[in-house]
Amino acid sequence: MSSLNAESTAYRSALDVVRTVEPRVADAIAAELADQRASLKLIASENYASPAVLLAMGNWFSDKYAEGTIGRRFYAGCRNVDTVEAIAAEHARELFGAPHAYVQPHSGIDANLVAFWAILADRVEAPALRKAQARQVNDLTEEDWFALRRELGNQRMLGMSLDAGGHLTHGFRPNISGKMFDQRSYGTDPATGLIDYAALRQTAKEFKPLVLVGGYSAYPRKVNFRILREIADEVGATFMVDMAHFAGLVAGKVFTGDFDPVPYAHIVTTTTHKSLRGPRGGLVLCQPELADQVDRGCPMVLGGPLPHVMAAKAVALAEARQPTFADYAQRIVDNAQALAEGLLRRGVRLVTGGTDNHLVLIDTTGFGLTGRQAEQALLDAGIVTNRNSIPQDPNGAWYTSGIRIGTPALTTRGLGTAQMDETADLINTVLSQTKPGVGPDGAPSKAKYVLDPALADRIAKQADELLAGFPLYPSVDLG
Ligand code: DSN
């Protein structure tokens, strides 16, 4: 049986089984595939995992509790969970050249929480235990415990500002990390849009953070992690990098030397579903001195592991160790650069004037639009993106002044640099033909916009034609 038949048979059978219980769910699953096939997906944080990854998740591993770590569980009967967790961790260590890997986090925020609490345990809790000559927290007196809790909640974090491309989980108030840490941000040089390492160093020296966080979700350039580590060492900070967005570029050896965070950071977190192209989830890599604290992630901050997702992580990480993945990673960047060049050639304003990675940030003020207006107009034309703040954003975090676009998903689908130029043309046509709208009172609106529906339909058809040569999940025929 060919692999096409095997995959189609697997999915058809699975949907038939679901349909016998709740047909609407089976229909929604099938409709999701149809929608994904039909859209020009430029969301920088999304991708398409392989059928092998997706199928590894849909099974009886989901039924198993496995709190604890490999060979040291709080439940009996975890032999097979141990097997898949060990395989996933081994692939993660080998792929990234990391001494230790922890593959249980359910998401990026969970991976970051594990990292934050591993750092706090290492830097704050362990010294307090030693001072009190206590083996563990339950051995502390009420007075020592109260003092330790206060100290744990009174530490400092320095991370990239949100409008420069940082992430909410890097110490911002609406997120738990902002409630845990006293946070200060570093930003980018207003003239270039690039990280200002001298200003960052100065801020670190003044603020003296316990944790220096590198990594971003909307910064279109490489980051020099060697310099960040030097700064962390100068101020006695633990250096953590959240590489969720660019893990695929690290895995594929596009980011090497000073731009690979793994050799420089004490601890690295990532999601597994973005450029890494695995299942939705997270993982943590760390130096040996933090390994024991990281392994306490569950039950300290994580619920029971998701063994079915760890199985899928193992498959995805095995895929990322294949030589073809390095080629994929390079094509992600080639495509992002072609997209950026296509937009620049058409006069579109880009934050930092281009890209070194998988994402491009359009400054929509060049079109007289907010990010929200631009996002919705593009969606009308079948182009799926997301609005994003830009440095010194005049429209705030809800309406924003930017559109973030990324190439991991379309690259998986097989589109190349020629199609990126066509994509740039479609985006520019929509945005240049969209006008800001007015609210019911006639005042300018940051949400309403005017776009000729006939033009939106024409662009959506062109997007369909562009995608027609690059079928998504070609081996899956649901009939
Ligand atoms: N939601 C992810 C992103 O789009 O960047 C990060 O949390």
Side-chain angles (χ1 to χ4, degrees):
M1 188 183 280
S2 75
S3 98
L4 184 147
N5 288 336
E7 287 163 12
S8 298
T9 305
Y11 281 107
R12 286 184 193 198
S13 306
L15 287 176
D16 284 347
V17 173
V18 174
R19 194 166 282 112
T20 60
V21 181
E22 177 46 285
R24 292 174 299 176
V25 170
D27 291 346
I29 294 170
E32 180 60 25
L33 177 60
D35 284 359
Q36 295 213 19
R37 281 176 165 161
S39 63
L40 196 64
K41 178 153 101 170
L42 284 161
I43 293 181
S45 48
E46 292 189 6
N47 211 327
Y48 304 110
S50 73
V53 168
L54 298 178
L55 285 166
M57 262 185 294
N59 57 64
W60 24 94
F61 266 133
S62 171
D63 299 334
K64 194 73 195 96
Y65 252 119
E67 288 177 21
T69 47
I70 302 163
R72 222 172 155 272
R73 306 283 182 187
F74 292 89
Y75 293 82
C78 294
R79 175 166 78 96
N80 301 308
V81 178
D82 281 355
T83 300
V84 293
E85 183 168 351
I87 295 169
E90 179 193 311
H91 281 314
R93 286 192 307 270
E94 293 295 324
L95 178 65
F96 293 109
H100 185 72
Y102 180 67
V103 297
Q104 292 189 15
H106 309 162
S107 66
I109 179 174
D110 284 3
N112 286 349
L113 280 174
V114 170
F116 297 154
W117 280 103
I119 295 168
L120 288 170
D122 178 58
R123 299 284 307 273
V124 180
E125 186 175 292
L129 291 176
R130 277 195 297 275
K131 190 167 157 220
Q133 297 185 326
R135 203 175 55 82
Q136 48 127 326
V137 285
N138 287 337
D139 300 336
L140 292 175
T141 62
E142 282 300 305
E143 194 183 347
D144 285 346
W145 176 231
F146 183 75
L148 173 58
R149 285 179 58 228
R150 268 222 315 231
E151 213 188 330
L152 286 168
N154 196 25
Q155 300 300 320
R156 293 176 174 179
M157 169 180 288
L158 178 61
M160 193 174 199
S161 68
L162 273 183
D163 69 350
H167 194 256
L168 199 64
T169 59
H170 300 173
F172 293 95
R173 290 181 188 179
N175 179 258
I176 183 74
S177 56
K179 303 177 206 299
M180 284 163 52
F181 286 98
D182 175 12
Q183 197 260 22
R184 196 172 289 182
S185 298
Y186 56 89
T188 47
D189 180 337
T192 61
L194 303 177
I195 291 175
D196 182 340
Y197 293 99
L200 197 170
R201 177 175 262 117
Q202 190 54 36
T203 306
K205 282 186 171 160
E206 286 162 15
F207 188 56
K208 296 196 178 19
L210 181 86
V211 190
L212 173 63
V213 182
Y216 53 78
S217 60
Y219 179 69
R221 294 294 179 178
K222 288 183 190 170
V223 174
N224 189 316
F225 296 111
R226 179 183 52 76
I227 298 178
L228 289 191
R229 173 59 189 259
E230 280 169 15
I231 294 170
D233 286 347
E234 283 165 24
V235 302
T238 299
F239 180 35
M240 168 185 156
V241 174
D242 176 348
M243 65 170 182
H245 262 263
F246 53 93
L249 306 185
V250 178
K253 311 292 176 238
V254 177
F255 283 0
T256 55
D258 293 353
F259 307 106
D260 175 353
V262 180
Y264 292 108
H266 297 100
I267 190 161
V268 176
T269 61
T270 184
T271 51
T272 45
H273 51 273
K274 297 188 175 86
S275 54
L276 198 51
R277 208 163 59 179
R280 303 196 75 75
L283 62 83
V284 180
L285 307 169
C286 68
Q287 296 301 319
E289 62 270 21
L290 285 171
D292 286 348
Q293 303 293 8
V294 164
D295 282 351
R296 296 197 174 107
C298 169
M300 185 168 69
V301 293
L302 298 177
L306 308 175
H308 53 308
V309 182
M310 291 197 290
K313 286 176 189 171
V315 175
L317 291 162
E319 288 177 350
R321 292 184 67 193
Q322 301 295 319
T324 49
F325 194 86
D327 173 59
Y328 165 64
Q330 186 57 54
R331 284 187 293 111
I332 291 176
V333 177
D334 293 346
N335 278 344
Q337 290 178 339
L339 190 52
E341 280 158 25
L343 291 165
L344 289 169
R345 222 178 17 255
R346 291 167 175 86
V348 180
R349 209 184 284 168
L350 303 183
V351 174
T352 78
T355 181
D356 299 328
N357 56 22
H358 64 299
L359 71 88
V360 176
L361 196 56
I362 297 177
D363 175 351
T364 57
T365 61
F367 292 100
L369 299 171
T370 63
R372 186 177 162 90
Q373 290 162 331
E375 175 195 81
Q376 293 303 309
L378 288 168
L379 190 61
D380 290 350
I383 302 172
V384 187
T385 65
N386 71 281
R387 64 185 185 281
N388 210 100
S389 297
I390 61 171
Q392 295 88 45
D393 199 306
N395 286 314
W398 177 250
Y399 293 108
T400 81
S401 305
I403 285 289
R404 186 186 68 166
I405 51 183
T407 53
L410 290 185
T411 305
T412 294
R413 211 165 159 158
L415 281 77
T417 52
Q419 290 76 38
M420 291 302 116
D421 193 59
E422 284 183 58
T423 304
D425 194 52
L426 300 181
I427 292 171
N428 180 52
T429 304
V430 173
L431 297 184
S432 54
Q433 297 300 317
T434 303
K435 302 293 164 225
V438 289
D441 54 357
S445 164
K446 290 186 177 190
K448 298 209 177 303
Y449 59 96
V450 180
L451 172 65
D452 176 4
L455 178 89
D457 284 352
R458 178 167 68 75
I459 299 293
K461 277 202 191 72
Q462 282 178 252
D464 274 351
E465 283 159 19
L466 185 62
L467 291 172
F470 303 93
L472 178 63
Y473 295 113
S475 59
V476 178
D477 174 4
L478 296 185

